[in-house]
Amino acid sequence: MRVLHISMSNLIGGAAKAAYRIHKGLIEQGVDSLMYVRRKIGDDPLILGPSGFKEQLWSQLTPFAEMIPLKLLKIHPHF
């Protein structure tokens, strides 16, 4: 089985830490597990994230850019 965990970070926040622990536990059990994060902390090769400065900047600005159309149309993303 192959597992891909998608998270905002690997170590910032409770959900990210829980996903990271699950990821590490699966690896210990012999499962092919990877994590893809927006903000990578550390040098674990099984955690993928933006690598260069441009990619890191883009990943930080994207959430704000996605909110612009919602604000212009006065749509609230949270119901």
Side-chain angles (χ1 to χ4, degrees):
M1 175 179 8
R2 298 182 80 191
V3 178
L4 174 64
H5 306 271
I6 301 173
S7 181
M8 293 295 288
S9 173
N10 58 322
L11 293 175
I12 297 175
K17 290 176 185 176
Y20 182 70
R21 284 193 301 265
I22 291 170
H23 163 69
K24 293 305 252 180
L26 288 172
I27 291 172
E28 289 175 6
Q29 297 296 316
V31 175
D32 186 10
S33 177
L34 290 173
M35 248 184 121
Y36 185 80
V37 297
R38 181 176 282 176
R39 181 180 290 167
K40 180 179 177 180
I41 297 173
D43 58 352
D44 188 337
L46 296 176
I47 298 177
L48 309 173
S51 56
F53 175 75
K54 288 181 184 179
E55 289 181 16
Q56 290 175 358
L57 180 63
W58 180 252
S59 74
Q60 297 301 315
L61 294 178
T62 300
F64 298 107
E66 291 172 347
M67 294 297 291
I68 291 171
L70 299 176
K71 290 199 181 278
L72 292 175
L73 297 173
K74 296 183 179 41
I75 298 172
H76 299 284
H78 305 288
F79 317 142

